[in-house]
């Protein structure tokens, strides 16, 4: 029994923080998990910048409302869900992900949550579990699933390595060069074919 585990940002939808960096005119917010492997460090960096500029959840959600899935992402997801179980495992937050899940046809997502004050200030974040992507994949394996995983960033490497088959998708040249053992794809057709082959 197979279950496919996909990253969200950079794989199915554009990077939320890059979109918000462009909308807010704050280039420092363009840093993502492609650049910083330590997620806690990255999020604390982001929250400090938001506080400095007086920005909160409302402003980020206004940007997210304008984000559309990548071209072909929903069709890819629909076809993948027709042949097996799929879970999106993301380090994003439920307050960010919900409108995007609606646009993708409500797939299952495991993600984290933000701590938000009454005035909309983001005061912190609560991770679902430590090393959430790797931990989730191992938990799925413990209940009888073979996992297939795909993502684009440093924080996806654990679940890719731990899975029966793992693929990089639209990743950086650095990650592709540093981890040549993982096949790297640029199109949904290529990724879908690789996942189907892994299920044989």
């Amino acid at each position: 029994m197979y279950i496919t585990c996909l990253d969200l940002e950079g794989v199915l939808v554009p990077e939320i923080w890059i979109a918000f960096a462009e909308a807010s005119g704050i280039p420092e917010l363009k840093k993502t998990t492609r650049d910083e492997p330590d997620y806690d460090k990255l999020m604390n960096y982001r929250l400090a910048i938001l506080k400095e500029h007086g920005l909160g959840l409302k402003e980020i959600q206004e940007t997210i409302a304008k984000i559309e899935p990548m071209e072909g992402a929903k069709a890819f997801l629909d076809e993948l869900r027709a042949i097996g179980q799929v879970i999106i495992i993301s380090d994003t937050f439920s307050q960010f992900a919900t409108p995007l899940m609606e646009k993708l046809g409500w797939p299952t997502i495991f993600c984290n949550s933000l701590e938000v004050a009454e005035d909309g200030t983001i005061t912190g974040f609560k991770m679902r579990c430590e090393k959430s992507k790797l931990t989730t994949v191992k938990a799925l394996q413990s209940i009888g699933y073979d996992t297939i995983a795909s993502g684009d960033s440093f924080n996806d490497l654990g679940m890719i390595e731990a899975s029966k088959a793992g693929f990089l998708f639209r990743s950086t040249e650095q990650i592709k060069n540093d981890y040549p053992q993982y096949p790297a794809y640029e199109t949904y057709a290529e990724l879908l074919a690789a996942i189907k082959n892994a299920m044989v």
Side-chain angles (χ1 to χ4, degrees), residues 29-102:
L29 287 173
K30 287 188 176 181
K31 186 182 283 192
T32 71
T33 51
R34 288 173 164 222
D35 313 300
E36 174 54 69
D38 185 329
Y39 193 74
D40 279 5
K41 182 178 175 183
L42 177 62
M43 272 307 300
N44 286 315
Y45 167 81
R46 289 166 169 168
L47 294 185
I49 292 171
L50 293 179
K51 186 176 181 183
E52 181 187 335
H53 291 271
L55 297 168
L57 181 60
K58 176 176 172 284
E59 290 80 10
I60 301 173
Q61 287 179 328
E62 285 170 357
T63 296
I64 292 169
K66 299 171 189 167
I67 294 175
E68 293 297 324
M70 293 177 174
E71 188 175 347
K74 185 176 184 300
F76 160 75
L77 202 52
D78 288 346
E79 191 165 349
L80 192 54
R81 290 164 77 191
I83 59 171
Q85 298 297 313
V86 180
I87 295 178
I88 297 169
I89 307 175
S90 174
D91 278 339
T92 193
F93 305 96
S94 55
Q95 294 94 330
F96 291 0
T98 301
L100 298 169
M101 293 305 99
E102 183 177 7

